[in-house]
Amino acid sequence: MRATSNRPVARLIAAVLLTLTLLGGAAPLQAHPMPDTEITVGRNAQTLNLVIKLPMSELMLALPPHYPRDAKALIGSNQRDLRAYFAAHTRLLAHGGRTVPVTIGSIRLNREHDPDVGNYAELEVRATARIAGHVPLSLVYDGVLHRVANHRAIVRDRAGRLLGVIRFSLAAKAATPLPLPLARRP
């Protein structure tokens, strides 16, 4: 009896492996399908206001496993826990490294649309801090960034001007503080 050739099977296996390798190599290009966190900063001589907007899908990756995975359930029953999460991941530093307390206010769920990814759920968090006059401040924000390596926070003023981008340094295991511009004097 003559042995049958395994050449067609070997070619098929090679083609499958090549396809999987190529697909695997393309996966990182789609590793960040949702928009980044957006932080809007408003500042006057006495108050600094923050509006933090982030995709729920990215937040779910960063939250501890005991949090509900349904957006409406998360917002409805865990307001206190969410405030604690954002309070732990949002800081203001004054000159010399002194921490300025940030109060987390309202948290709500929005439905948004991005031309690249379509419809998605977005969390909007409002926060305030009482500040003493025209002191230099830096924003330290690492919500989601501490768990999703390619996520970033884009920071703008109320007029939409870019103030900077906050990224998480894996080497330092911390977000880099972003200096904020001083409020204009009257």
Side-chain angles (χ1 to χ4, degrees), residues 118-146:
N119 297 323
Y120 65 96
E122 176 182 78
L123 191 71
E124 179 181 294
V125 179
R126 294 187 175 262
T128 59
R130 305 272 306 148
I131 56 176
H134 298 275
V135 297
L137 294 172
S138 292
L139 174 62
V140 180
Y141 176 82
D142 68 354
V144 177
L145 284 75
H146 68 108

PDB file of all heavy atoms in Angstrom, residues 118-146:
ATOM      1  N   GLY A 118     -19.499  54.921  15.823  1.00  0.00           N
ATOM      2  CA  GLY A 118     -20.953  54.844  15.926  1.00  0.00           C
ATOM      3  C   GLY A 118     -21.467  55.296  17.280  1.00  0.00           C
ATOM      4  O   GLY A 118     -20.859  56.143  17.944  1.00  0.00           O
ATOM      5  N   ASN A 119     -22.581  54.718  17.707  1.00  0.00           N
ATOM      6  CA  ASN A 119     -23.218  55.106  18.966  1.00  0.00           C
ATOM      7  C   ASN A 119     -22.546  54.411  20.145  1.00  0.00           C
ATOM      8  O   ASN A 119     -22.134  53.263  20.038  1.00  0.00           O
ATOM      9  CB  ASN A 119     -24.704  54.733  18.937  1.00  0.00           C
ATOM     10  CG  ASN A 119     -25.444  55.487  17.849  1.00  0.00           C
ATOM     11  OD1 ASN A 119     -25.165  56.646  17.586  1.00  0.00           O
ATOM     12  ND2 ASN A 119     -26.383  54.820  17.208  1.00  0.00           N
ATOM     13  N   TYR A 120     -22.464  55.128  21.259  1.00  0.00           N
ATOM     14  CA  TYR A 120     -21.897  54.546  22.470  1.00  0.00           C
ATOM     15  C   TYR A 120     -22.419  55.289  23.692  1.00  0.00           C
ATOM     16  O   TYR A 120     -22.959  56.395  23.590  1.00  0.00           O
ATOM     17  CB  TYR A 120     -20.362  54.572  22.430  1.00  0.00           C
ATOM     18  CG  TYR A 120     -19.759  55.963  22.431  1.00  0.00           C
ATOM     19  CD1 TYR A 120     -19.335  56.558  23.618  1.00  0.00           C
ATOM     20  CD2 TYR A 120     -19.599  56.682  21.259  1.00  0.00           C
ATOM     21  CE1 TYR A 120     -18.787  57.830  23.622  1.00  0.00           C
ATOM     22  CE2 TYR A 120     -19.052  57.944  21.254  1.00  0.00           C
ATOM     23  CZ  TYR A 120     -18.647  58.520  22.437  1.00  0.00           C
ATOM     24  OH  TYR A 120     -18.109  59.769  22.456  1.00  0.00           O
ATOM     25  N   ALA A 121     -22.274  54.662  24.859  1.00  0.00           N
ATOM     26  CA  ALA A 121     -22.678  55.269  26.130  1.00  0.00           C
ATOM     27  C   ALA A 121     -21.479  55.994  26.728  1.00  0.00           C
ATOM     28  O   ALA A 121     -20.358  55.481  26.710  1.00  0.00           O
ATOM     29  CB  ALA A 121     -23.179  54.191  27.095  1.00  0.00           C
ATOM     30  N   GLU A 122     -21.744  57.185  27.247  1.00  0.00           N
ATOM     31  CA  GLU A 122     -20.679  58.013  27.812  1.00  0.00           C
ATOM     32  C   GLU A 122     -21.086  58.457  29.215  1.00  0.00           C
ATOM     33  O   GLU A 122     -22.229  58.832  29.450  1.00  0.00           O
ATOM     34  CB  GLU A 122     -20.480  59.232  26.917  1.00  0.00           C
ATOM     35  CG  GLU A 122     -19.469  60.228  27.423  1.00  0.00           C
ATOM     36  CD  GLU A 122     -19.368  61.425  26.509  1.00  0.00           C
ATOM     37  OE1 GLU A 122     -20.252  62.294  26.581  1.00  0.00           O
ATOM     38  OE2 GLU A 122     -18.414  61.474  25.723  1.00  0.00           O
ATOM     39  N   LEU A 123     -20.139  58.415  30.126  1.00  0.00           N
ATOM     40  CA  LEU A 123     -20.366  58.889  31.479  1.00  0.00           C
ATOM     41  C   LEU A 123     -19.886  60.332  31.568  1.00  0.00           C
ATOM     42  O   LEU A 123     -18.797  60.662  31.074  1.00  0.00           O
ATOM     43  CB  LEU A 123     -19.597  58.030  32.489  1.00  0.00           C
ATOM     44  CG  LEU A 123     -19.957  58.271  33.952  1.00  0.00           C
ATOM     45  CD1 LEU A 123     -21.354  57.737  34.238  1.00  0.00           C
ATOM     46  CD2 LEU A 123     -18.948  57.597  34.858  1.00  0.00           C
ATOM     47  N   GLU A 124     -20.696  61.191  32.174  1.00  0.00           N
ATOM     48  CA  GLU A 124     -20.305  62.585  32.398  1.00  0.00           C
ATOM     49  C   GLU A 124     -20.226  62.820  33.908  1.00  0.00           C
ATOM     50  O   GLU A 124     -21.188  62.574  34.631  1.00  0.00           O
ATOM     51  CB  GLU A 124     -21.323  63.540  31.785  1.00  0.00           C
ATOM     52  CG  GLU A 124     -20.980  64.998  32.017  1.00  0.00           C
ATOM     53  CD  GLU A 124     -22.016  65.933  31.418  1.00  0.00           C
ATOM     54  OE1 GLU A 124     -22.141  65.951  30.181  1.00  0.00           O
ATOM     55  OE2 GLU A 124     -22.702  66.608  32.201  1.00  0.00           O
ATOM     56  N   VAL A 125     -19.053  63.255  34.343  1.00  0.00           N
ATOM     57  CA  VAL A 125     -18.800  63.507  35.758  1.00  0.00           C
ATOM     58  C   VAL A 125     -18.458  64.988  35.916  1.00  0.00           C
ATOM     59  O   VAL A 125     -17.596  65.502  35.208  1.00  0.00           O
ATOM     60  CB  VAL A 125     -17.619  62.646  36.272  1.00  0.00           C
ATOM     61  CG1 VAL A 125     -17.332  62.931  37.739  1.00  0.00           C
ATOM     62  CG2 VAL A 125     -17.899  61.174  36.045  1.00  0.00           C
ATOM     63  N   ARG A 126     -19.115  65.653  36.853  1.00  0.00           N
ATOM     64  CA  ARG A 126     -18.816  67.064  37.130  1.00  0.00           C
ATOM     65  C   ARG A 126     -18.139  67.154  38.488  1.00  0.00           C
ATOM     66  O   ARG A 126     -18.558  66.511  39.443  1.00  0.00           O
ATOM     67  CB  ARG A 126     -20.074  67.914  37.090  1.00  0.00           C
ATOM     68  CG  ARG A 126     -20.659  67.968  35.684  1.00  0.00           C
ATOM     69  CD  ARG A 126     -21.820  68.933  35.575  1.00  0.00           C
ATOM     70  NE  ARG A 126     -22.243  69.006  34.183  1.00  0.00           N
ATOM     71  CZ  ARG A 126     -21.870  69.954  33.338  1.00  0.00           C
ATOM     72  NH1 ARG A 126     -21.058  70.914  33.737  1.00  0.00           N
ATOM     73  NH2 ARG A 126     -22.299  69.951  32.095  1.00  0.00           N
ATOM     74  N   ALA A 127     -17.090  67.955  38.538  1.00  0.00           N
ATOM     75  CA  ALA A 127     -16.317  68.099  39.776  1.00  0.00           C
ATOM     76  C   ALA A 127     -15.936  69.572  39.959  1.00  0.00           C
ATOM     77  O   ALA A 127     -15.815  70.315  38.985  1.00  0.00           O
ATOM     78  CB  ALA A 127     -15.065  67.231  39.718  1.00  0.00           C
ATOM     79  N   THR A 128     -15.745  69.968  41.211  1.00  0.00           N
ATOM     80  CA  THR A 128     -15.339  71.336  41.524  1.00  0.00           C
ATOM     81  C   THR A 128     -14.278  71.330  42.609  1.00  0.00           C
ATOM     82  O   THR A 128     -14.168  70.381  43.387  1.00  0.00           O
ATOM     83  CB  THR A 128     -16.520  72.199  42.020  1.00  0.00           C
ATOM     84  OG1 THR A 128     -17.074  71.581  43.185  1.00  0.00           O
ATOM     85  CG2 THR A 128     -17.599  72.343  40.972  1.00  0.00           C
ATOM     86  N   ALA A 129     -13.529  72.414  42.634  1.00  0.00           N
ATOM     87  CA  ALA A 129     -12.543  72.613  43.702  1.00  0.00           C
ATOM     88  C   ALA A 129     -12.529  74.095  44.049  1.00  0.00           C
ATOM     89  O   ALA A 129     -12.584  74.956  43.160  1.00  0.00           O
ATOM     90  CB  ALA A 129     -11.161  72.168  43.251  1.00  0.00           C
ATOM     91  N   ARG A 130     -12.475  74.370  45.331  1.00  0.00           N
ATOM     92  CA  ARG A 130     -12.322  75.754  45.796  1.00  0.00           C
ATOM     93  C   ARG A 130     -10.839  76.067  45.754  1.00  0.00           C
ATOM     94  O   ARG A 130     -10.031  75.306  46.282  1.00  0.00           O
ATOM     95  CB  ARG A 130     -12.854  75.918  47.212  1.00  0.00           C
ATOM     96  CG  ARG A 130     -14.281  75.470  47.415  1.00  0.00           C
ATOM     97  CD  ARG A 130     -15.350  76.481  47.154  1.00  0.00           C
ATOM     98  NE  ARG A 130     -15.131  77.707  47.907  1.00  0.00           N
ATOM     99  CZ  ARG A 130     -15.490  78.904  47.454  1.00  0.00           C
ATOM    100  NH1 ARG A 130     -16.059  79.021  46.288  1.00  0.00           N
ATOM    101  NH2 ARG A 130     -15.273  79.977  48.167  1.00  0.00           N
ATOM    102  N   ILE A 131     -10.501  77.163  45.115  1.00  0.00           N
ATOM    103  CA  ILE A 131      -9.095  77.538  45.015  1.00  0.00           C
ATOM    104  C   ILE A 131      -8.896  78.937  45.569  1.00  0.00           C
ATOM    105  O   ILE A 131      -9.814  79.752  45.589  1.00  0.00           O
ATOM    106  CB  ILE A 131      -8.581  77.437  43.553  1.00  0.00           C
ATOM    107  CG1 ILE A 131      -9.432  78.282  42.610  1.00  0.00           C
ATOM    108  CG2 ILE A 131      -8.581  75.990  43.099  1.00  0.00           C
ATOM    109  CD1 ILE A 131      -8.920  78.305  41.177  1.00  0.00           C
ATOM    110  N   ALA A 132      -7.703  79.198  46.038  1.00  0.00           N
ATOM    111  CA  ALA A 132      -7.382  80.481  46.661  1.00  0.00           C
ATOM    112  C   ALA A 132      -6.662  81.375  45.653  1.00  0.00           C
ATOM    113  O   ALA A 132      -5.449  81.280  45.486  1.00  0.00           O
ATOM    114  CB  ALA A 132      -6.526  80.259  47.900  1.00  0.00           C
ATOM    115  N   GLY A 133      -7.436  82.203  44.971  1.00  0.00           N
ATOM    116  CA  GLY A 133      -6.826  83.176  44.072  1.00  0.00           C
ATOM    117  C   GLY A 133      -6.165  82.572  42.857  1.00  0.00           C
ATOM    118  O   GLY A 133      -6.511  81.507  42.377  1.00  0.00           O
ATOM    119  N   HIS A 134      -5.186  83.283  42.372  1.00  0.00           N
ATOM    120  CA  HIS A 134      -4.503  82.923  41.129  1.00  0.00           C
ATOM    121  C   HIS A 134      -3.248  82.107  41.424  1.00  0.00           C
ATOM    122  O   HIS A 134      -2.138  82.565  41.232  1.00  0.00           O
ATOM    123  CB  HIS A 134      -4.166  84.196  40.345  1.00  0.00           C
ATOM    124  CG  HIS A 134      -5.382  84.966  39.953  1.00  0.00           C
ATOM    125  ND1 HIS A 134      -6.093  84.667  38.819  1.00  0.00           N
ATOM    126  CD2 HIS A 134      -6.024  85.983  40.547  1.00  0.00           C
ATOM    127  CE1 HIS A 134      -7.114  85.491  38.729  1.00  0.00           C
ATOM    128  NE2 HIS A 134      -7.097  86.302  39.758  1.00  0.00           N
ATOM    129  N   VAL A 135      -3.448  80.890  41.914  1.00  0.00           N
ATOM    130  CA  VAL A 135      -2.314  80.031  42.242  1.00  0.00           C
ATOM    131  C   VAL A 135      -2.090  79.023  41.118  1.00  0.00           C
ATOM    132  O   VAL A 135      -3.041  78.562  40.490  1.00  0.00           O
ATOM    133  CB  VAL A 135      -2.537  79.276  43.573  1.00  0.00           C
ATOM    134  CG1 VAL A 135      -2.650  80.244  44.738  1.00  0.00           C
ATOM    135  CG2 VAL A 135      -3.765  78.400  43.510  1.00  0.00           C
ATOM    136  N   PRO A 136      -0.841  78.678  40.843  1.00  0.00           N
ATOM    137  CA  PRO A 136      -0.585  77.638  39.835  1.00  0.00           C
ATOM    138  C   PRO A 136      -1.122  76.289  40.313  1.00  0.00           C
ATOM    139  O   PRO A 136      -0.944  75.917  41.467  1.00  0.00           O
ATOM    140  CB  PRO A 136       0.943  77.604  39.736  1.00  0.00           C
ATOM    141  CG  PRO A 136       1.422  78.857  40.360  1.00  0.00           C
ATOM    142  CD  PRO A 136       0.384  79.266  41.363  1.00  0.00           C
ATOM    143  N   LEU A 137      -1.792  75.591  39.406  1.00  0.00           N
ATOM    144  CA  LEU A 137      -2.346  74.271  39.712  1.00  0.00           C
ATOM    145  C   LEU A 137      -1.978  73.294  38.606  1.00  0.00           C
ATOM    146  O   LEU A 137      -1.832  73.674  37.448  1.00  0.00           O
ATOM    147  CB  LEU A 137      -3.872  74.321  39.824  1.00  0.00           C
ATOM    148  CG  LEU A 137      -4.475  75.109  40.972  1.00  0.00           C
ATOM    149  CD1 LEU A 137      -5.987  75.199  40.806  1.00  0.00           C
ATOM    150  CD2 LEU A 137      -4.131  74.468  42.296  1.00  0.00           C
ATOM    151  N   SER A 138      -1.874  72.020  38.984  1.00  0.00           N
ATOM    152  CA  SER A 138      -1.694  70.939  38.020  1.00  0.00           C
ATOM    153  C   SER A 138      -2.791  69.916  38.239  1.00  0.00           C
ATOM    154  O   SER A 138      -3.163  69.624  39.377  1.00  0.00           O
ATOM    155  CB  SER A 138      -0.327  70.271  38.199  1.00  0.00           C
ATOM    156  OG  SER A 138       0.705  71.158  37.836  1.00  0.00           O
ATOM    157  N   LEU A 139      -3.317  69.387  37.139  1.00  0.00           N
ATOM    158  CA  LEU A 139      -4.339  68.353  37.190  1.00  0.00           C
ATOM    159  C   LEU A 139      -3.676  66.989  37.075  1.00  0.00           C
ATOM    160  O   LEU A 139      -2.868  66.756  36.173  1.00  0.00           O
ATOM    161  CB  LEU A 139      -5.332  68.548  36.030  1.00  0.00           C
ATOM    162  CG  LEU A 139      -6.396  67.460  35.847  1.00  0.00           C
ATOM    163  CD1 LEU A 139      -7.304  67.358  37.070  1.00  0.00           C
ATOM    164  CD2 LEU A 139      -7.206  67.750  34.586  1.00  0.00           C
ATOM    165  N   VAL A 140      -4.010  66.115  38.011  1.00  0.00           N
ATOM    166  CA  VAL A 140      -3.565  64.724  37.944  1.00  0.00           C
ATOM    167  C   VAL A 140      -4.828  63.884  37.816  1.00  0.00           C
ATOM    168  O   VAL A 140      -5.656  63.855  38.716  1.00  0.00           O
ATOM    169  CB  VAL A 140      -2.776  64.305  39.213  1.00  0.00           C
ATOM    170  CG1 VAL A 140      -2.332  62.851  39.093  1.00  0.00           C
ATOM    171  CG2 VAL A 140      -1.593  65.222  39.435  1.00  0.00           C
ATOM    172  N   TYR A 141      -4.980  63.242  36.678  1.00  0.00           N
ATOM    173  CA  TYR A 141      -6.156  62.416  36.416  1.00  0.00           C
ATOM    174  C   TYR A 141      -5.677  61.079  35.866  1.00  0.00           C
ATOM    175  O   TYR A 141      -4.918  61.037  34.893  1.00  0.00           O
ATOM    176  CB  TYR A 141      -7.093  63.092  35.401  1.00  0.00           C
ATOM    177  CG  TYR A 141      -8.268  62.224  35.036  1.00  0.00           C
ATOM    178  CD1 TYR A 141      -9.387  62.169  35.866  1.00  0.00           C
ATOM    179  CD2 TYR A 141      -8.246  61.430  33.905  1.00  0.00           C
ATOM    180  CE1 TYR A 141     -10.454  61.340  35.552  1.00  0.00           C
ATOM    181  CE2 TYR A 141      -9.304  60.598  33.584  1.00  0.00           C
ATOM    182  CZ  TYR A 141     -10.405  60.563  34.415  1.00  0.00           C
ATOM    183  OH  TYR A 141     -11.455  59.736  34.112  1.00  0.00           O
ATOM    184  N   ASP A 142      -6.126  59.995  36.498  1.00  0.00           N
ATOM    185  CA  ASP A 142      -5.759  58.679  35.973  1.00  0.00           C
ATOM    186  C   ASP A 142      -6.929  57.702  35.961  1.00  0.00           C
ATOM    187  O   ASP A 142      -6.733  56.499  35.878  1.00  0.00           O
ATOM    188  CB  ASP A 142      -4.552  58.100  36.712  1.00  0.00           C
ATOM    189  CG  ASP A 142      -4.834  57.744  38.152  1.00  0.00           C
ATOM    190  OD1 ASP A 142      -5.937  58.037  38.656  1.00  0.00           O
ATOM    191  OD2 ASP A 142      -3.951  57.167  38.794  1.00  0.00           O
ATOM    192  N   GLY A 143      -8.167  58.231  36.007  1.00  0.00           N
ATOM    193  CA  GLY A 143      -9.328  57.369  35.858  1.00  0.00           C
ATOM    194  C   GLY A 143      -9.243  56.657  34.517  1.00  0.00           C
ATOM    195  O   GLY A 143      -8.935  57.272  33.509  1.00  0.00           O
ATOM    196  N   VAL A 144      -9.470  55.386  34.464  1.00  0.00           N
ATOM    197  CA  VAL A 144      -9.365  54.508  33.304  1.00  0.00           C
ATOM    198  C   VAL A 144      -7.906  54.355  32.864  1.00  0.00           C
ATOM    199  O   VAL A 144      -7.459  53.247  32.589  1.00  0.00           O
ATOM    200  CB  VAL A 144     -10.246  54.954  32.111  1.00  0.00           C
ATOM    201  CG1 VAL A 144     -10.048  54.054  30.907  1.00  0.00           C
ATOM    202  CG2 VAL A 144     -11.714  54.970  32.510  1.00  0.00           C
ATOM    203  N   LEU A 145      -7.128  55.429  32.822  1.00  0.00           N
ATOM    204  CA  LEU A 145      -5.743  55.370  32.360  1.00  0.00           C
ATOM    205  C   LEU A 145      -4.927  54.352  33.157  1.00  0.00           C
ATOM    206  O   LEU A 145      -4.024  53.721  32.616  1.00  0.00           O
ATOM    207  CB  LEU A 145      -5.071  56.738  32.473  1.00  0.00           C
ATOM    208  CG  LEU A 145      -5.437  57.769  31.418  1.00  0.00           C
ATOM    209  CD1 LEU A 145      -6.810  58.353  31.641  1.00  0.00           C
ATOM    210  CD2 LEU A 145      -4.419  58.873  31.424  1.00  0.00           C
ATOM    211  N   HIS A 146      -5.224  54.206  34.447  1.00  0.00           N
ATOM    212  CA  HIS A 146      -4.458  53.298  35.302  1.00  0.00           C
ATOM    213  C   HIS A 146      -4.664  51.829  34.935  1.00  0.00           C
ATOM    214  O   HIS A 146      -3.880  50.969  35.341  1.00  0.00           O
ATOM    215  CB  HIS A 146      -4.794  53.528  36.789  1.00  0.00           C
ATOM    216  CG  HIS A 146      -6.197  53.130  37.151  1.00  0.00           C
ATOM    217  ND1 HIS A 146      -6.479  52.015  37.901  1.00  0.00           N
ATOM    218  CD2 HIS A 146      -7.387  53.699  36.858  1.00  0.00           C
ATOM    219  CE1 HIS A 146      -7.793  51.920  38.060  1.00  0.00           C
ATOM    220  NE2 HIS A 146      -8.362  52.938  37.432  1.00  0.00           N
TER     221      HIS A 146
END
